[in-house]
Amino acid sequence: MQRSRWYKDAFIYQIYPRSFCDSNGDGIGDIRGIISKLDYLQELGVNAVWLSPCYKSPNDDNGYDISNYRDIMDEFGTLEDWEEMVDGMHKRGIKLIMDLVVNHSSDEHFWFQEALKGKDNPYRDYYIWRKGRGKNGKRPPNNWTSRFGGSAWEYHEDSGEYYLHLFTKKQPDLNWDNPKVRQEVHDIVKYWLDKGCDGFRCDVITYISKKEGLPNGKLNVALLGDEHFTHGPNIHAYLHALNKEVLSKYDCMTVGEGPGMNVKHAIDYTSEEREELDTVFTFEHMHTDAFFQFLPRKLKLSRLKKVLAAYQYGLRDKGWNSLYWENHDQPRSIPRFTGDFGDKRKEAAKMLAVALYMQQGTPYVYQGQEIGMMNYPWKSIDEFQDVMVKNLMGIFNKYAPFLKKVAFWALKKKGRDNARTPMQWNDKENAGFTTGTPWLPINPNYKEINVEQAMKDKNSIFHFYKKLIAFRRGNPLIIHGTFKENYASSNDIYCYERWYKGERLMVICNFKNKEIPFKLPSDCVYKSADLVLHNYDYDRKLEDMTLRPYEALVFKMI
Ligand code: GLC
Ligand code: CA
């Protein structure tokens, strides 16, 4: 089948279903809630949705622990609801990307329940079991740590063996070296593609192949074992097989979540000749405001730009990138990347959109980002629902209670629940998200920041996104143009160009909440320059100028 590679011109909206819209008053978002908002997505102009997991799950990690890959979570609705949702999306020209969580399943999955029955069970080898170390086998098989804290191994009394879980103990890792497991994954992927889904976001896909012998990880300050399961020995073979046998037969897309990925890896996973994944999510830009990935650190614009530029130059003609500021695992992007915005929230949010989405790659916008939703004002660590926080707190309470204060300080800025508070639809009770009690509190700023208000206000962030998306969609200059950065070392200004067939785009962003002088790059010669996007309400010419706080300008030149 000839693949159209439609993802190169997609603008994708991420829905975290639990927090999007609740249709039946139980405080939990659901599929019928999504159906009721499809017109809204169409109005925004996106042409695809990435839906975080909606499969059957005991919700240890909000659906990222799947107990049945072929059915819908009770709280979210039924397969019929799902079908109605896909039809509704397709009617509006919106494609659906499902989340594929196959590094691990839930411990409540039938396969794991069978595996627990004993070493001879045919499903035992679907998971990764080992004997413990030490005289009486009471030490875990190796020193790997779970991404959510503690050992990555859980002891199973009955069989006297441990199983591996890189996330919570309710998320046992699947054994991809077992051909039966790979076949199961192929069948699941085929099942949803045949039902009409248009692609997959592949959860922690860089972790699926573990090094033979499962050797101890190098000692370091953060997590142990990474070097033995990130980009493991068979990963490329496994992804290539999935592509050849299933994905290549559909006009679908894949985006792999890639913890531990750099530019070179991103090329290996997404180069078209290799036929593995189409695109990836990398994390390096998300780490530019942190030490060890989680301790907050002041953002330096030049550091952020350097990472983004490395991907723009590096992936050129070799792979395909994704562009994102937010998702369900990241805090909100303002003020994270803009600093304190004072009374310029709208300008700051619009500027951030321009800075990223004029680059090459597939853009993603996370629910609420298009109205400028912000982190929640947490008052105590007990308010967090995230299983990652709960696990870590358990460990701190036991071994290092003094670290709780530091943890709370870091979590307020970085915690995943920041992105998971319910979507703010209007200024009525519970922000219009639910008529019941929301599963996670609503941000008190919903009176000012909500969809209804944003739709009414001509100058809202929403209307700016709409304009930007319409400008970007189908625009060859943005889809294919080359990238050239100016003033790379500036910590105030982000300025780059895109070039394609005699046309040129000049993007100028002021990242500071104050006036900054701007000089036209010396090689900037052109016949005409039209202002095509601007976050202030007046005309501008392409010339030396003083940029207003957070001013963002896009000129199209010939
Ligand atoms: C990915 C998901 C995250 C989840 C983890 C384990 O990183 O985005 O939400 O907790 O994988 O599945
Ligand atoms: Ca509900």
Side-chain angles (χ1 to χ4, degrees):
M1 132 135 237
Q2 184 61 36
R3 305 183 65 209
S4 69
R5 304 203 177 270
W6 55 267
Y7 56 85
K8 294 191 177 176
D9 187 26
F11 208 111
I12 304 181
Y13 189 92
Q14 185 193 349
I15 293 181
Y16 193 67
R18 207 177 174 76
S19 306
F20 192 60
C21 181
D22 174 22
S23 71
N24 63 351
D26 65 356
I28 297 173
D30 46 52
I31 292 181
R32 300 220 69 82
I34 298 175
I35 294 173
S36 73
K37 300 296 182 188
L38 292 179
D39 286 339
Y40 170 70
L41 298 181
Q42 188 178 27
E43 168 87 21
L44 181 59
V46 295
N47 61 334
V49 161
W50 152 27
L51 182 64
S52 279
C54 60
Y55 315 92
K56 280 247 184 311
S57 165
N59 279 306
D60 190 46
D61 188 16
N62 291 350
Y64 282 90
D65 49 320
I66 299 171
S67 55
N68 182 345
Y69 286 93
R70 288 182 169 77
D71 207 349
I72 301 297
M73 189 190 296
D74 295 332
E75 292 91 328
F76 290 172
T78 63
L79 263 177
E80 287 71 45
D81 294 331
W82 182 88
E83 274 156 15
E84 192 180 323
M85 174 186 74
V86 182
D87 283 350
M89 287 180 176
H90 288 168
K91 269 195 207 109
R92 292 169 177 82
I94 298 172
K95 297 193 190 274
L96 174 66
I97 314 293
M98 298 276 276
D99 221 304
L100 184 70
V101 188
V102 287
N103 171 70
H104 43 268
S105 72
S106 161
D107 65 335
E108 296 184 30
H109 194 289
F110 163 77
W111 303 332
F112 194 76
Q113 289 302 308
E114 284 296 301
L116 285 178
K117 290 183 180 160
K119 293 181 190 169
D120 300 330
N121 190 283
Y123 289 95
R124 182 75 172 183
D125 202 28
Y126 271 43
Y127 297 89
I128 301 173
W129 298 90
R130 292 290 184 279
K131 287 227 161 320
R133 288 176 296 176
K135 246 204 226 116
N136 41 19
K138 281 289 175 244
R139 275 166 58 222
N142 67 24
N143 69 356
W144 296 4
T145 45
S146 151
R147 312 296 85 181
F148 293 164
S151 169
W153 295 93
E154 182 70 12
Y155 187 60
H156 177 232
E157 202 66 58
D158 291 355
S159 62
E161 289 189 332
Y162 289 78
Y163 67 85
L164 179 72
H165 60 89
L166 292 180
F167 293 88
T168 76
K169 63 180 180 202
K170 285 186 68 60
Q171 295 169 297
D173 277 51
L174 284 160
N175 175 17
W176 273 70
D177 293 332
N178 179 350
K180 287 194 192 133
V181 168
R182 303 201 299 272
Q183 189 57 50
E184 297 273 11
V185 173
H186 291 193
D187 293 348
I188 292 164
V189 167
K190 193 168 164 355
Y191 170 85
W192 288 104
L193 288 170
D194 287 339
K195 275 193 158 311
C197 114
D198 303 287
F200 295 93
R201 175 264 188 187
C202 311
D203 191 63
V204 291
I205 203 70
T206 42
Y207 289 172
I208 59 173
S209 167
K210 279 85 176 169
K211 188 177 276 170
E212 210 179 311
L214 312 181
N216 272 330
K218 275 194 308 266
L219 294 183
N220 64 45
V221 278
L223 300 162
L224 304 186
D226 275 62
E227 68 277 25
H228 301 309
F229 56 76
T230 313
H231 322 296
N234 298 313
I235 180 125
H236 293 293
Y238 294 160
L239 291 176
H240 181 66
L242 175 64
N243 185 311
K244 281 314 267 182
E245 279 163 40
V246 192
L247 298 166
S248 63
K249 303 189 170 135
Y250 300 79
D251 193 19
C252 64
M253 77 162 276
T254 48
V255 49
E257 190 202 17
M261 220 183 256
N262 61 25
V263 173
K264 184 183 168 307
H265 301 124
I267 295 171
D268 288 347
Y269 286 100
T270 66
S271 113
E272 290 181 15
E273 303 87 76
R274 293 176 59 122
E275 303 175 295
E276 296 180 19
L277 300 171
D278 297 317
T279 67
V280 285
F281 285 127
T282 59
F283 285 86
E284 288 189 283
H285 69 301
M286 288 287 136
H287 297 155
T288 54
D289 71 336
F291 293 109
F292 313 121
Q293 301 182 19
F294 53 86
L295 274 184
R297 169 191 196 186
K298 196 170 181 320
L299 182 82
K300 205 167 150 198
L301 180 61
S302 55
R303 191 163 55 224
L304 172 68
K305 293 195 301 185
K306 195 171 164 193
V307 171
L308 294 174
Y311 284 88
Q312 289 299 304
Y313 291 120
L315 264 55
R316 175 87 213 158
D317 297 328
K318 298 205 179 93
W320 197 259
N321 198 15
S322 306
L323 308 169
Y324 75 97
W325 285 131
E326 295 186 9
N327 63 37
H328 66 291
D329 293 329
Q330 297 292 333
R332 293 294 183 174
S333 54
I334 45 168
R336 179 180 183 187
F337 294 106
T338 61
D340 284 335
F341 49 75
D343 62 351
K344 299 262 177 315
R345 186 180 64 91
K346 287 201 253 175
E347 288 79 359
K350 294 174 188 175
M351 184 280 292
L352 266 192
V354 171
L356 189 65
Y357 298 136
M358 294 294 111
Q359 301 193 19
Q360 187 170 46
T362 301
Y364 289 79
V365 43
Y366 177 69
Q367 65 187 42
Q369 182 187 333
E370 77 282 17
I371 55 168
M373 277 177 63
M374 305 218 294
N375 286 354
Y376 184 82
W378 307 101
K379 286 191 197 70
S380 121
I381 209 153
D382 308 318
E383 288 175 300
F384 291 94
Q385 296 270 332
D386 185 357
V387 67
M388 179 197 234
V389 178
K390 292 196 165 152
N391 273 6
L392 287 174
M393 282 316 114
I395 295 170
F396 286 159
N397 278 335
K398 208 159 148 199
Y399 301 106
F402 56 94
L403 281 179
K404 271 181 78 173
K405 267 210 171 123
V406 185
F408 183 45
W409 167 77
L411 282 167
K412 277 203 271 195
K413 294 197 170 177
K414 291 242 157 223
R416 307 196 297 177
D417 280 341
N418 279 308
R420 300 176 181 183
T421 62
M423 181 73 181
Q424 294 161 208
W425 294 104
N426 57 40
D427 64 3
K428 316 255 157 51
E429 209 185 350
N430 294 322
F433 164 71
T434 179
T435 52
T437 309
W439 73 277
L440 200 62
I442 311 254
N443 196 313
N445 66 19
Y446 75 95
K447 293 262 176 208
E448 291 83 52
I449 302 176
N450 63 67
V451 168
E452 202 175 279
Q453 190 282 332
M455 306 269 281
K456 269 192 243 151
D457 171 9
K458 282 270 161 296
N459 282 319
S460 66
I461 301 167
F462 174 86
H463 284 293
F464 190 81
Y465 263 86
K466 204 178 141 175
K467 223 192 302 175
L468 183 150
I469 294 170
F471 173 68
R472 192 190 152 105
R473 292 276 336 275
N475 189 333
L477 188 48
I478 303 181
I479 302 167
H480 305 294
T482 54
F483 175 89
K484 173 178 174 271
E485 187 171 9
N486 299 311
Y487 310 125
S489 61
S490 166
N491 278 311
D492 303 323
I493 290 176
Y494 197 4
C495 175
Y496 62 85
E497 298 168 39
R498 305 291 310 277
W499 296 57
Y500 189 68
K501 294 194 174 159
E503 286 187 347
R504 189 169 167 187
L505 214 61
M506 173 74 78
V507 178
I508 306 163
C509 294
N510 175 5
F511 262 72
K512 291 282 145 71
N513 186 9
K514 61 177 183 206
E515 293 192 342
I516 300 283
F518 172 80
K519 258 187 104 47
L520 216 52
S522 52
D523 64 345
C524 191
V525 192
Y526 55 90
K527 278 199 217 117
S528 69
D530 292 333
L531 183 60
V532 288
L533 275 176
H534 190 197
N535 62 349
Y536 275 86
D537 197 15
Y538 61 89
D539 202 22
R540 271 288 201 193
K541 284 198 177 48
L542 185 55
E543 60 195 3
D544 292 354
M545 58 185 132
T546 301
L547 297 171
R548 304 241 174 133
Y550 299 122
E551 187 162 2
L553 299 146
V554 182
F555 290 96
K556 188 170 167 180
M557 297 137 73
I558 327 181

